[in-house]
Amino acid sequence: MLAAGECTKADLCYSLQETVFAMLVEITERAMAHSRSKQVLVVGGVGCNLRLQEMLQIMADERGASLCATDDRYCIDNGAMIAHTGNLMFKHDMKTSIEKSGITQRFRTDEVHTAWRD
């Protein structure tokens, strides 16, 4: 598309952003329906994006829900959330040795055992 002059880099990037954000909004809406939630909290680095916040707000309004978008001070890094989860796991004796730890790219969060919710 770029080589053929059918679009600009800006057009391609905008289209990619809109597609990815639409997918995130759809997944969020499904999660809200599944959990019967009326609230959305958007955090993390991507949470700083005003277009994503706008799209989530539209979805929340359509569902009669509320959106809480934290300010940039709390949207930059997920390190605190990861550390909190690690602390919860440690408190519930959920320990993984370095040798057995790893990364699973397609890890399904709905399949994670969360002992602190039992």
Side-chain angles (χ1 to χ4, degrees), residues 1-46:
M1 291 175 65
L2 287 173
E6 297 173 10
C7 70
T8 65
K9 286 182 183 179
D11 289 338
L12 184 59
C13 289
Y14 178 79
S15 178
L16 178 62
Q17 174 184 277
E18 289 293 296
T19 301
V20 170
F21 286 177
M23 294 167 70
L24 290 173
V25 171
E26 181 180 347
I27 291 167
T28 302
E29 186 173 19
R30 286 183 187 177
M32 289 177 72
H34 181 69
S35 64
R36 296 182 179 99
S37 177
K38 290 290 187 182
Q39 297 176 322
V40 177
L41 174 63
V42 60
V43 296
V46 75

Side-chain angles (χ1 to χ4, degrees), residues 56-105:
L56 285 167
Q57 185 66 64
I58 291 167
M59 181 273 295
D61 289 345
E62 290 174 351
R63 293 184 58 82
S66 63
L67 171 69
C68 300
T70 58
D71 68 39
D72 292 353
R73 293 176 298 165
Y74 304 105
C75 286
I76 296 173
D77 190 352
N78 286 328
M81 289 179 267
I82 293 168
H84 179 67
T85 302
N87 188 42
L88 287 171
M89 292 174 73
F90 182 79
K91 285 180 177 180
H92 288 84
D93 204 33
M94 297 174 68
K95 300 172 188 163
T96 304
S97 69
I98 295 294
E99 296 78 28
K100 292 185 179 180
S101 65
I103 298 169
T104 305
Q105 268 186 312

